[in-house]
Amino acid sequence: AVGASDASPDEGVVEDLPLIDEKAVEQLAEGLISHYLPDLQRSKSALQELTQNQVVLLETLEQEISKFKDCNSIVDINALFSEAKHYHNKLVNIRNEMMMLHEKTSKLKVSGINI
């Protein structure tokens, strides 16, 4: 003998469901879509515009970053020119000192001291 507890919990559920009207389902789906579709399309449009604005913003930022890099390069070039000027002055001083030493040795040779 089969007891009441041996019966499947799903037994009889399928038979209890009413028949589904396909046309009603289609109309409900169309109603649901027509209700939410305009908002979704506006959201899509707003997201596309936002994405385009972000692309423009990124391009602008890249240009600004490039300008800052150029500025740093100019600072580096200015530092190199300052350093070059410093070493040029050193070379001029060394040349003047060598010319002065050459004059002194020439004078010493003329006076008869052999170097």
Side-chain angles (χ1 to χ4, degrees):
V2 175
S5 63
D6 292 338
S8 171
D10 293 335
E11 191 174 310
V13 171
V14 174
E15 293 85 21
D16 292 343
L17 288 177
L19 290 175
I20 299 173
D21 184 3
E22 293 294 327
K23 186 170 183 169
V25 170
E26 187 177 322
Q27 288 175 339
L28 287 170
E30 286 177 7
L32 187 67
I33 289 173
S34 68
H35 179 73
Y36 287 106
L37 190 59
D39 288 338
L40 290 173
Q41 287 175 332
R42 282 192 296 274
S43 296
K44 179 182 177 183
S45 175
L47 286 172
Q48 286 174 334
E49 184 179 344
L50 179 63
T51 302
Q52 290 171 347
N53 289 341
Q54 285 178 330
V55 167
V56 169
L57 181 61
L58 284 173
E59 289 172 354
T60 304
L61 282 173
E62 287 174 1
Q63 290 172 358
E64 292 302 315
I65 289 170
S66 176
K67 288 178 186 177
F68 280 117
K69 286 180 182 176
D70 290 345
C71 286
N72 285 339
S73 298
I74 290 171
V75 168
D76 292 343
I77 290 172
N78 286 337
L80 284 175
F81 276 119
S82 295
E83 193 173 353
K85 184 177 179 182
H86 171 73
Y87 285 113
H88 174 74
N89 288 337
K90 278 189 166 191
L91 284 172
V92 167
N93 289 338
I94 290 171
R95 190 185 92 200
N96 289 339
E97 203 171 310
M98 288 179 71
M99 286 174 37
M100 183 184 69
L101 288 173
H102 176 71
E103 285 178 23
K104 284 184 179 181
T105 54
S106 296
K107 285 180 185 178
L108 288 174
K109 282 182 185 178
V110 169
S111 16
I113 302 175
N114 206 359
I115 299 179

